[in-house]
Amino acid sequence: MKVGIVGAGNVGATAAFAMVTTGAASEIVVVDLNAALAHAQAQDILHATPLQRPVRVRAGSYADLAGANVVVLAAGVGQRPGETRLELLGRNAKVFGAIIPVVLTAAPEAILLIASNPVDVMTEIAVKISRLPPGRVFGSGTILDSSRFRALLGEHLDIAPTSVHAYVLGEHGDSEVLWWSGASAAGLSVTEMAAQRGRPLDAAAKARIDAAVRGAADAIIRGKGATWFGIGGGLARIVQAIRSDEHALLSVSAPTAGIPGIEGVTLSLPRVVGARGIVATLTPTLNDDERAALIASATILKEAATGLAL
């Protein structure tokens, strides 16, 4: 499967490398305004392919995206220390206005996978600019937040995080909602699993995990300036689900229909992802606190997108 990546910075390059190591793509074309950077990243990744998988990796122009099944949009300005993802909106909206028409001219049948922050609002912008059918434009959303949630729960329970099923809903950002009541392992709620493992999941433990998930990006940005490994892995996982027509349940961001309180808002819910992009969206069963928090998150995102000039 051919994948285009627009944006050769840390996120785009790490996503490309993760796609090589997982076999998510058979061909990767890296495009960037800085052609020298795109070439350097593509060459560096290509040189690892004899040790990984035989993926064709090269830099190119927008025209070289022709025939791509998926185009990842990872272009835009980076997040500054202390800056929220929503504050990035004004600086990144104009970038998409220039990029998306050119991408679709070259690859009109491609699925657009949005990685640029603030990803929920940037996904809404991409939907409006592209005018593509529902499901063919969506964002990485809270796939990384959900992975952080699973990793920390696995650590607390002393079980493999791959055995934990847990999702973060809503905004990829400060108002995100950890879906505690839906988190499970081996068919047990995480609370029941914790009791059986002798590792109680009390209010203090939940607060610690919540704070670690919610504050992960800021902590990483303070330490090294930006995040890229986690989201690179998340993007590769999404592309893998598309390539294999996997119908994987992933927490990705897209316009939401049919759910009171969040109708019409672009945010993350558990969605079924396959070869055609998003093929279905699940309605989570939430407790009262979670439902109120999700509606509050949707309200923040709706206000951020209101009046946006494209």
Side-chain angles (χ1 to χ4, degrees), residues 254-266:
T256 302
I259 302 180
I262 60 175
E263 178 79 31
V265 181
T266 300

Side-chain angles (χ1 to χ4, degrees), residues 8 65 233 246 276:
L65 298 175
E246 193 174 329
R276 294 183 290 115

Side-chain angles (χ1 to χ4, degrees), residues 94-170:
K94 291 181 180 179
V95 175
F96 270 28
I99 288 175
I100 290 174
V102 184
V103 168
L104 291 178
T105 296
E109 301 302 318
I111 291 169
L112 298 185
L113 175 54
I114 314 304
S116 303
N117 277 320
V119 69
D120 303 295
V121 183
M122 295 305 292
T123 298
E124 182 164 340
I125 290 169
V127 168
K128 291 178 178 177
I129 293 172
S130 69
R131 299 182 181 179
L132 289 176
R136 272 189 55 195
V137 184
F138 60 97
S140 55
T142 58
I143 192 167
L144 174 55
D145 311 86
S146 296
S147 182
R148 290 167 174 158
F149 191 19
R150 293 172 65 198
L152 291 170
L153 279 171
E155 184 177 63
H156 180 85
L157 299 170
D158 194 24
I159 62 174
T162 52
S163 297
V164 178
H165 302 281
Y167 297 92
V168 175
L169 312 176

Side-chain angles (χ1 to χ4, degrees), residues 176-196:
E176 64 190 23
V177 181
L178 278 65
W179 185 19
W180 282 101
S181 67
S184 67
L188 300 172
S189 72
V190 289
T191 302
E192 293 171 316
M193 174 62 75
Q196 290 197 29

Side-chain angles (χ1 to χ4, degrees), residues 8-104:
N10 288 326
V11 171
T14 304
F17 183 68
M19 290 176 205
V20 168
T21 61
T22 60
S26 57
E27 180 180 0
I28 299 172
V29 178
V30 182
V31 179
D32 197 280
L33 184 63
N34 183 340
L37 175 63
H39 179 75
Q41 298 282 37
Q43 284 292 294
D44 198 13
I45 295 166
L46 176 67
H47 297 162
T49 58
L51 308 172
Q52 301 292 335
R53 297 172 188 260
V55 180
R56 298 185 298 279
V57 184
R58 61 190 174 96
S61 65
Y62 285 104
D64 293 310
L65 298 175
N69 302 88
V70 180
V71 175
V72 177
L73 299 186
V77 293
Q79 187 175 7
R80 297 166 177 165
E83 182 180 40
T84 69
R85 289 177 177 86
L86 294 180
E87 287 170 342
L88 280 174
L89 177 58
R91 300 197 295 138
N92 271 333
K94 291 181 180 179
V95 175
F96 270 28
I99 288 175
I100 290 174
V102 184
V103 168
L104 291 178

